[in-house]
């Protein structure tokens, strides 16, 4: 530990204490506007926490929980059964057993037309990959992704289903499958003729229709999936059973925590209504912001935790689950540690092939811009997503620029002569607090839209200057110190 123990304890106390007090203020403002939110959005009566009402306005959480209860959890249980039986009896044929099950589950849930769409995407991607031209593969992938946003095509697909929820399930599934098809196709382009047997169309189907990651991810690149799926390991029912029980308990805890948050704080309903945000105290605003980003984190511990558990049961190593956002102190750290599978995809297939950090300054700017442009487009391409992508690009570029400047020998020597290690660490946290404030702002735009970002910018940085701004940066300084300490301790481990 570089800093004195008492100093780190103070930062930890201020960080934890400010979280709880901000959450209390967010709860108070939720209670104040409960009747208005209930009339406008229809708060749901609490089932898990009786006596409390539940904010139903987070579409993604409500959507996947509903589908999970109705069909998807049962299909995942079926996958688990097929997987364990095939590992026990026919380990050699496990990929093909799981492929057949995934195709059957897709057919059952999305219907024959939905199944045909995904199979069509896979066939087209495989045919284009035969030319072994990465650029052509990317053009094909972007065209296929673009078809999801053609109004006439959307309208035709809607007619296949009785409800909007069924159509959205197809839309979300195909969006994720596009990334899987792209990963396979690019790996096919990059491997020589001797390795083509491991990149057959049958392996593509096994990858694309692997059910735990089918609807919502997480993303695993084909080279990792293929390597791990081919590896045959000793099967131990007792070990797998303990992994399953511990995993279920952990996911149930995360689910309860997420439900508790939207019972105590009407985050999403308040974010959908401008007047309460404009009238709320600074502490309530901060509490709602923290609650929003932490709910997103806990939500993805559940949504990625379920497939990650099944991957473990299948003998695969899943992408790491998201890191706690309260420990994030830079844009770069956020992208590396939240959606690890998506980050690996972006780095391997866009950032590095376009030059990445090894290229010139202009090359690095371009490759980073292209990466964030693709992410914004893949998420839907709405205007707020382009603002979010641009802010993240700017944040990553500025952090990279500062790091490059500080790595210059002359400047490095000057800093080391002028400042002690403890002062350098504190200056690091000061810079990190500014970066974290912009990171939170960009995430609020992603989660709440442009209007939420504007309200926070105006209230904290414009109207609130200097005291509100400096107070926020002061608390973020404490969060950054805790995050930096956590990162260094785990790096040593």
């Amino acid at each position: 530990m570089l800093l004195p123990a008492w100093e780190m304890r103070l930062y930890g106390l201020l960080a934890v204490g400010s979280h709880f007090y901000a959450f209390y203020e967010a709860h108070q403002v939720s209670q104040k506007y409960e009747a208005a939110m209930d009339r406008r959005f229809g708060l749901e009566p609490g089932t898990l926490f009786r006596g409390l009402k539940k904010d139903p306005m987070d579409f993604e959480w409500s959507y996947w929980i509903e589908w999970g209860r109705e069909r998807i959890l049962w299909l995942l249980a079926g996958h688990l059964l097929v997987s364990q039986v095939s590992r026990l009896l026919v380990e050699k044929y496990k990929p093909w057993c799981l492929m057949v099950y995934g195709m059957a589950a897709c057919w059952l849930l999305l219907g024959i037309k939905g199944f045909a769409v995904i199979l069509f995407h896979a066939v087209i991607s495989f045919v284009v990959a035969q030319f072994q031209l990465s650029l052509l593969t990317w053009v094909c992938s972007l065209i296929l992704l673009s078809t999801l946003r053609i109004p006439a095509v959307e309208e035709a697909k809607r007619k296949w289903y009785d409800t909007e929820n069924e159509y959205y399930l197809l839309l979300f599934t195909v969006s994720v499958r596009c990334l899987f098809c792209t990963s396979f196709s690019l790996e096919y382009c990059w491997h020589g003729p001797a390795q083509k047997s491991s990149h057959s169309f049958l392996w593509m189907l096994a990858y694309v229709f692997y059910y735990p990651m089918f609807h919502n991810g997480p993303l695993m690149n084909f080279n990792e999936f293929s390597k791990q799926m081919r590896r045959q390991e000793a099967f131990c029912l007792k070990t797998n059973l303990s992994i399953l029980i511990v995993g279920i308990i952990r996911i149930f805890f995360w689910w309860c925590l997420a439900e508790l948050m939207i019972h105590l704080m009407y985050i999403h309903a308040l974010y959908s209504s401008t007047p309460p945000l404009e009238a709320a105290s600074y502490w309530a605003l901060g509490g709602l912001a923290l609650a929003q980003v932490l709910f997103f984190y806990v939500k993805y511990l559940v949504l990625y935790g379920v497939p990650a558990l099944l991957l473990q049961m299948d003998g695969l190593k899943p992408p790491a689950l998201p890191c706690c956002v309260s420990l994030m102190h830079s844009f770069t750290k956020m992208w590396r540690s939240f959606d690890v599978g998506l980050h690996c995809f972006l780095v391997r297939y866009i950032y590095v092939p376009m030059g990445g950090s090894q290229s010139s300054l202009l090359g690095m700017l371009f490759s980073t811009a292209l990466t964030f442009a693709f992410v914004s487009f893949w998420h839907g391409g709405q205007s707020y997503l382009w603002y979010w992508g641009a802010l993240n690009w700017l944040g990553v570029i500025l952090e990279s620029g500062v790091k490059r400047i500080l790595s210059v020998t002359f400047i490095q020597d000057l800093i080391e002569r002028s400042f002690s290690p403890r002062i350098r660490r504190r200056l690091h946290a000061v810079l990190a607090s500014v970066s974290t404030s912009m990171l939170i702002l960009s995430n609020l735009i992603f989660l709440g839209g442009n209007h939420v970002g504007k309200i926070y910018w105006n209230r904290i940085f414009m109207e609130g200057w200097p005291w509100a701004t400096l107070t926020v940066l002061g608390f973020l300084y404490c969060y950054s110190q805790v995050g930096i300490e956590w990162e260094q301790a785990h790096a040593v481990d």
Side-chain angles (χ1 to χ4, degrees), residues 43-325:
L43 300 177
E44 296 176 357
T47 50
L48 189 63
F49 303 98
R50 295 192 181 278
L52 297 173
K53 290 188 176 180
K54 172 182 170 180
D55 179 1
M57 291 301 292
D58 186 87
F59 171 78
E60 190 176 33
W61 179 252
S62 302
Y63 183 85
W64 289 116
I65 293 300
E66 183 183 342
W67 268 107
R69 277 199 301 256
E70 288 183 1
R71 310 277 287 277
I72 291 177
L73 278 180
W74 299 104
L75 290 171
L76 289 172
H79 169 94
L80 179 62
L81 180 63
V82 171
S83 166
Q84 300 310 292
V85 170
S86 62
R87 287 190 73 186
L88 187 64
L89 303 177
V90 284
E91 176 76 20
K92 184 180 177 182
Y93 300 103
K94 181 183 71 173
W96 319 126
C97 295
L98 297 181
M99 177 193 75
V100 171
Y101 180 85
M103 295 173 85
C106 171
W107 192 316
L108 180 67
L109 211 54
L110 299 176
I112 187 170
K113 292 178 180 177
F115 171 79
V117 167
I118 294 169
L119 188 61
F120 174 76
H121 276 243
V123 170
I124 293 296
S125 298
F126 186 78
V127 169
V128 172
Q130 303 308 302
F131 293 96
Q132 293 188 266
L133 297 170
S134 297
L135 181 59
L136 188 61
T137 291
W138 267 115
V139 169
C140 172
S141 298
L142 291 172
I143 290 172
L144 289 173
L145 198 55
S146 299
T147 60
L148 301 180
R149 301 181 183 99
I150 298 173
V153 176
E154 286 183 298
E155 195 57 38
K157 288 177 182 175
R158 274 189 168 90
K159 291 177 181 176
W160 298 348
Y161 301 106
D162 297 327
T163 64
E164 280 287 293
N165 274 1
E166 290 174 298
Y167 163 71
Y168 280 123
L169 184 63
L170 175 65
L171 181 66
F172 298 149
T173 304
V174 175
S175 295
V176 176
R177 292 308 93 202
C178 280
L179 297 186
F180 279 68
C181 289
T182 303
S183 175
F184 175 89
S185 300
L186 289 171
E187 295 293 342
Y188 186 95
C189 293
W190 295 345
H191 286 78
Q195 297 172 300
K196 286 296 182 271
S197 60
S198 61
H199 293 72
S200 65
F201 184 62
L202 208 57
W203 267 106
M204 184 184 196
L205 293 180
Y207 176 56
V208 169
F209 285 97
Y210 180 68
Y211 196 68
M213 302 187 289
F214 189 68
H215 296 293
N216 194 43
L219 186 59
M220 180 187 284
N221 294 341
F222 176 74
N223 58 324
E224 277 298 312
F225 175 84
S226 174
K227 182 171 66 178
Q228 293 185 41
M229 191 62 84
R230 290 170 187 277
R231 186 178 62 225
Q232 295 187 14
E233 295 180 341
F235 177 76
C236 177
L237 186 61
K238 185 178 178 182
T239 303
N240 264 23
L241 193 59
S242 65
I243 291 171
L244 182 64
I245 292 169
V246 171
I248 288 173
I249 292 170
R250 187 184 293 122
I251 291 165
F252 180 71
F253 170 76
W254 292 331
W255 175 73
C256 288
L257 183 57
E259 285 290 320
L260 180 63
M261 290 180 76
I262 54 177
H263 279 77
L264 292 177
M265 295 174 283
Y266 306 140
I267 319 158
H268 309 95
L270 288 167
Y271 271 15
S272 300
S273 184
T274 302
L277 287 181
E278 291 178 335
S281 69
Y282 288 118
W283 273 107
L285 268 184
L288 289 170
L290 286 172
Q292 175 78 302
V293 294
L294 282 168
F295 177 79
F296 187 69
Y297 159 65
V298 176
K299 173 171 68 176
Y300 268 88
L301 287 179
V302 176
L303 296 182
Y304 279 179
V306 172
L309 176 59
L310 288 171
L311 262 75
Q312 282 184 284
M313 297 295 292
D314 291 348
L316 307 180
K317 183 182 178 183
L321 291 176
C323 183
C324 179
V325 291

Side-chain angles (χ1 to χ4, degrees), residues 318-339:
L321 291 176
C323 183
C324 179
V325 291
S326 290
L327 299 173
M328 301 293 182
H329 52 272
S330 71
F331 283 89
T332 309
K333 169 81 174 166
M334 180 74 178
W335 278 96
R336 285 179 181 165
S337 307
F338 193 84
D339 194 333

